[in-house]
Amino acid sequence: MLNNIKFTGLILLTAVGLSACGGGGQSNFNPPTSGSSGGTGPQWQAGVYAPESELKDFCAAPRSGIDPYSGRAYPDKAGSATYEKLWLRSWSNNTYLWYDELDDINPAGYGVQEYFDLLKTDARTPSGAFKDNFHFYQDTAEYKQRTQSGVESGYGIEWKFSALSPPRKLEIAFIEPGSPADLAGLVRGDEVVEVDGVDFINGGTQNDVNTINNGLFPSIAGESHDFVFETVAGERIDVTMASADVQITPVQNASVIETDLGRVGYVQFNSHIALAQDQLIDAFELFVNENATELVVDLRYNGGGLLVLASQLGYMVAGDANTAGRTFEQMQFNDKHPSRDPVTGDPLVPLEFVDKRIDYDRFVETSESLPTLALNRVFVLATDGTCSASEAFINGLRGIDVEVILIGDQTCGKPYGFYPTDNCGTTYFTIQFTGVNDKGFGEYSDGFLPTPSPQFPAEVLGCMVEDDLSLPLGNPQEGQLRAALDYMSSGSCPQSSGIERFSQKTAPEGKGLQIKRPDPRYRATILENKLYQQFGRNPESQP
Amino acid sequence: MKKQLVIAASLLAGGCQLTQANEPVAAVLTNPGAQTKAELQRVIQQAIGGTPVRLADDALTDTDTLYIEQNPGRDARGNPIMGRHNNKPEVFHLRLQGEQCQLIHGTTGEVYLLQEVSCRALDAR
């Protein structure tokens, strides 16, 4: 029974198509009777917010026919751009986490998406970065497209980019097993030298850049391209690869490392997708069977996903005594919604540490208990690609006083979430909730910072250590893993990690023509700056 | 044009006296290729609506379970936009009953008989 309650509280429905509750500001708004865009439409009045439900789905260009995803008619009605902007304004006023930091701007003269871009806070974090870096919109038809869990089109390469402009630098972070890159013999650390005969490093014409982008990011599976790579040893290798729809393996390299202090479990966890559940269980069964007494969880390339998986991972690390009855994460909305989720209307129930296997057919807990190491501390390897649900894992454990020792770089800083909401064919993402741990802490919008001497809540005991591409992931000599193993015995950081800050957040842009940010995992949504246009996100606003 | 046959799982379970040999068993696909992929995409679209889903070229060749989720958009740093969610994936299971391959939709229990797909029992080699 407890398990049902526990899990019921964490199921979130995709909010597309759901209209959030009303309850914005004061209302003296008269909705149209005709729904026409002329004359009697809604007007902006400073400080007066109509209920969002009265403005929703009144569209400048209503969709008609049947929505293929719902099987029902589109909800759109004849309206206007003013309707759409005023809906965005009321929706934000009701549900945006920092609604009280928004200026009430007259929407006249702005485009709809242009106006949405204004409905975000300009406040900055203690580091000086913008607090809200997660304000997007996307065509709804595109947003709703579905894919096999963990399938990416490309070569099966996770890239690490260091410079997008000449002299460019692009290396392989890891390879998906069985992918075209794996079959071609490429490995972590290999560096791109040429793409389809073009000098990748210094190619300076637009044609060069186009050739490079087309080769790195083929638009469909089955495209063949030629590459020259340079290995870590300095050898040049010619490779021809055909793009494919590649199944990623979210959990890799699970192993037990023998040390003087005992057995140390290591697991590389790359993506919080449903497919990962059984792989994580297999990894922890290995650790339990091999009597591992310490654990290193490699989250350096894990940008998040299913929160319940982070909760399960937390349980598998910490065990019953540490987690029973404790909160893994609690959603918090703005102060207009202290006790109920404004989108679903459900009471706000904490997500506990889930200790059972999930049945994804029904999306409920089963009676099958998860394995656990029942540890009081865990080492986490991180970069700025360690984001969202991965950060929730760190925060959740810290909330129950399981010591997290962070090795690597500052994490991305995304303690937030949203219900993507469609209006008139565009799906909007605006930050609506933050996640806090058992201690009520969730203020890490600059990310978790590893440091030998933490002073502030978002600073975590650990070491700044560079991602070492010269050795395979899971190799005990690889820089970050070696630093974790050394820390276990010495309690101190390696000398070579005395880097004040080398954060990858430092923009890799330079002068000259830039290639696309080279990551096939989001090739599907980025085509030559498409993401910036799609999601209305200005790359200059990056922290 | 071959039609997909849809049978309610409850009919299968309750309406027949199945011998053990005829009970559906977990299976993996043995003929991956464009035709097979297209049939899987058609069946999945029939089951959950929307547009054809992207499938791996080797989908269901080493596991009997297929998870379908929304395409995870990426932000400018390459991280998933929906990095903190609990959206239910759609789940499908490949089964072999006699010589017939079936795709079962986990949520509804509907059974889709596959015409182009060849499969073998998961544990059989």
Side-chain angles (χ1 to χ4, degrees):
Chain A
M1 191 61 179
L2 175 65
N3 290 337
N4 286 338
I5 292 170
K6 196 160 57 175
F7 192 55
T8 301
L10 64 85
I11 295 178
L12 304 179
L13 296 175
T14 305
V16 174
L18 293 177
S19 100
C21 305
Q26 173 193 355
S27 172
N28 60 359
F29 169 80
N30 293 318
T33 52
S34 66
S36 73
S37 57
T40 60
Q43 302 292 319
W44 172 78
Q45 185 179 346
V48 178
Y49 295 85
E52 59 187 272
S53 59
E54 295 181 5
L55 298 162
K56 192 163 189 312
D57 302 323
F58 285 98
C59 309
R63 293 162 293 180
S64 59
I66 302 298
D67 179 350
Y69 289 94
S70 68
R72 297 190 294 271
Y74 287 109
D76 299 3
K77 295 159 280 202
S80 65
T82 299
Y83 266 108
E84 295 184 35
K85 288 181 279 187
L86 289 176
W87 172 77
L88 285 167
R89 171 176 172 267
S90 288
W91 178 60
S92 301
N93 180 259
N94 183 32
T95 69
Y96 186 56
L97 186 60
W98 303 290
Y99 75 94
D100 51 354
E101 296 176 19
L102 299 179
D103 295 328
D104 186 11
I105 299 169
N106 186 341
Y110 293 104
V112 175
Q113 275 118 28
E114 188 182 13
Y115 188 64
F116 175 68
D117 288 341
L118 301 174
L119 295 171
K120 68 188 274 280
T121 182
D122 288 329
R124 292 177 183 263
T125 67
S127 75
F130 284 111
K131 185 162 68 174
D132 184 353
N133 293 299
F134 307 102
H135 199 69
F136 313 109
Y137 58 85
Q138 185 178 17
D139 178 78
T140 295
E142 196 166 328
Y143 166 70
K144 285 189 171 182
Q145 284 179 356
R146 286 179 278 213
T147 180
Q148 181 182 344
S149 180
V151 170
E152 312 279 357
S153 294
Y155 307 111
I157 298 173
E158 174 81 13
W159 298 104
K160 176 178 180 176
F161 68 93
S162 299
L164 299 181
S165 303
R168 303 184 185 94
K169 188 173 177 66
L170 175 61
E171 296 155 287
I172 293 176
F174 68 86
I175 297 286
E176 291 296 343
S179 65
D182 189 23
L183 298 176
L186 296 175
V187 297
R188 171 175 166 84
D190 289 346
E191 188 173 337
V192 180
V193 176
E194 272 184 29
V195 178
D196 286 329
V198 169
D199 178 353
F200 172 79
I201 298 167
N202 294 308
T205 69
Q206 189 59 53
N207 280 343
D208 290 344
V209 170
N210 292 343
T211 299
I212 290 168
N213 282 336
N214 291 338
L216 290 172
F217 305 100
S219 56
I220 57 171
E223 285 188 31
S224 186
H225 293 276
D226 298 324
F227 300 88
V228 176
F229 283 86
E230 184 170 299
T231 67
V232 172
E235 179 191 358
R236 293 209 168 190
I237 51 176
D238 295 325
V239 168
T240 298
M241 289 187 288
S243 59
D245 289 329
V246 177
Q247 169 73 70
I248 71 165
T249 304
V251 179
Q252 298 186 23
N253 295 316
S255 61
V256 173
I257 301 166
E258 297 281 358
T259 74
D260 292 341
L261 294 176
R263 294 180 164 185
V264 178
Y266 168 86
V267 61
Q268 178 195 347
F269 180 27
N270 295 331
S271 183
H272 287 72
I273 55 177
L275 183 63
Q277 175 177 245
D278 287 345
Q279 297 176 15
L280 283 174
I281 290 172
D282 288 346
F284 275 80
E285 285 177 344
L286 169 72
F287 302 150
V288 170
N289 292 338
E290 295 291 324
N291 299 314
T293 55
E294 297 271 15
L295 178 65
V296 179
V297 181
D298 193 340
L299 297 176
R300 74 183 88 177
Y301 306 118
N302 192 325
L306 274 167
L307 193 62
V308 66
L309 267 173
S311 160
Q312 290 176 298
L313 180 60
Y315 170 79
M316 287 191 276
V317 169
D320 295 290
N322 282 321
T323 63
R326 309 292 292 275
T327 293
F328 176 74
E329 182 163 292
Q330 168 75 63
M331 294 167 77
Q332 283 186 349
F333 291 81
N334 68 36
D335 61 9
K336 294 180 179 182
H337 308 285
S339 59
R340 285 191 177 271
D341 182 320
V343 178
T344 67
D346 293 335
L348 293 177
V349 178
L351 169 60
E352 296 183 2
F353 288 80
V354 174
D355 59 356
K356 298 289 192 295
R357 190 174 185 280
I358 302 298
D359 170 3
Y360 280 102
D361 283 337
R362 296 181 296 139
F363 210 30
V364 295
E365 290 184 25
T366 66
S367 59
E368 182 183 335
S369 295
L370 298 174
T372 179
L373 285 171
L375 298 173
N376 291 316
R377 78 170 181 179
V378 62
F379 289 77
V380 174
L381 309 185
T383 66
D384 72 335
T386 304
C387 203
S388 212
S390 291
E391 294 175 300
F393 166 74
I394 295 169
N395 198 44
L397 289 178
R398 297 183 83 212
I400 58 170
D401 295 319
V402 169
E403 184 176 32
V404 176
I405 298 175
L406 194 61
I407 305 290
D409 199 358
Q410 192 168 6
T411 64
C412 98
K414 191 178 181 185
Y416 311 118
F418 24 52
Y419 288 94
T421 302
D422 168 75
N423 194 47
C424 300
T426 299
T427 293
Y428 296 94
F429 305 73
T430 200
I431 292 176
Q432 291 161 312
F433 61 87
T434 187
V436 301
N437 64 17
D438 197 68
K439 295 178 188 289
F441 177 72
E443 290 295 320
Y444 53 90
S445 52
D446 275 329
F448 288 112
L449 177 69
T451 172
S453 50
Q455 296 180 4
F456 300 101
E459 293 182 347
V460 181
L461 184 65
C463 315
M464 295 285 277
V465 179
E466 199 156 6
D467 189 8
D468 173 10
L469 296 178
S470 71
L471 288 169
L473 293 166
N475 184 319
Q477 296 305 311
E478 184 276 323
Q480 288 193 359
L481 179 53
R482 190 184 68 236
L485 297 172
D486 288 348
Y487 194 99
M488 286 174 200
S489 56
S490 69
S492 60
C493 296
Q495 292 291 327
S496 58
S497 77
I499 306 165
E500 283 298 316
R501 286 294 306 275
F502 61 85
S503 173
Q504 295 167 26
K505 291 177 186 173
T506 304
E509 293 82 3
K511 293 181 179 178
L513 285 172
Q514 289 183 15
I515 61 163
K516 290 182 288 191
R517 187 175 166 115
D519 187 336
R521 298 180 67 181
Y522 49 107
R523 181 213 59 77
T525 53
I526 305 179
L527 291 171
E528 193 59 45
N529 294 326
K530 186 177 173 188
L531 182 137
Y532 298 143
Q533 297 158 14
Q534 261 179 0
F535 300 117
R537 185 170 182 188
N538 182 351
E540 299 303 316
S541 69
Q542 296 304 299
Chain B
M1 188 73 178
K2 293 176 179 172
K3 286 187 173 180
Q4 305 300 333
L5 300 177
V6 182
I7 302 171
S10 56
L11 291 179
L12 273 180
C16 309
Q17 293 293 322
L18 295 171
T19 65
Q20 189 169 357
N22 282 333
E23 287 178 358
V25 296
V28 290
L29 197 148
T30 57
N31 63 335
Q35 211 169 351
T36 306
K37 192 172 180 179
E39 181 178 36
L40 291 173
Q41 288 173 316
R42 276 199 310 273
V43 166
I44 292 168
Q45 185 178 12
Q46 187 180 344
I48 62 176
T51 54
V53 300
R54 180 169 36 178
L55 297 177
D57 295 334
D58 59 353
L60 291 170
T61 56
D62 62 0
T63 175
D64 67 314
T65 302
L66 199 57
Y67 297 100
I68 305 295
E69 60 185 15
Q70 278 194 256
N71 194 6
R74 304 274 170 180
D75 67 18
R77 285 190 218 161
N79 294 319
I81 291 174
M82 292 297 286
R84 181 188 250 94
H85 71 85
N86 276 304
N87 297 330
K88 179 189 179 305
E90 298 286 350
V91 187
F92 291 86
H93 304 282
L94 186 63
R95 296 287 182 263
L96 176 63
Q97 184 172 34
E99 296 186 355
Q100 176 66 57
C101 301
Q102 312 169 340
L103 198 63
I104 300 177
H105 184 202
T107 304
T108 63
E110 283 187 331
V111 178
Y112 297 81
L113 304 185
L114 301 169
Q115 308 301 309
E116 307 289 348
V117 169
S118 298
C119 60
R120 62 169 172 81
L122 185 56
D123 295 325
R125 289 283 170 188

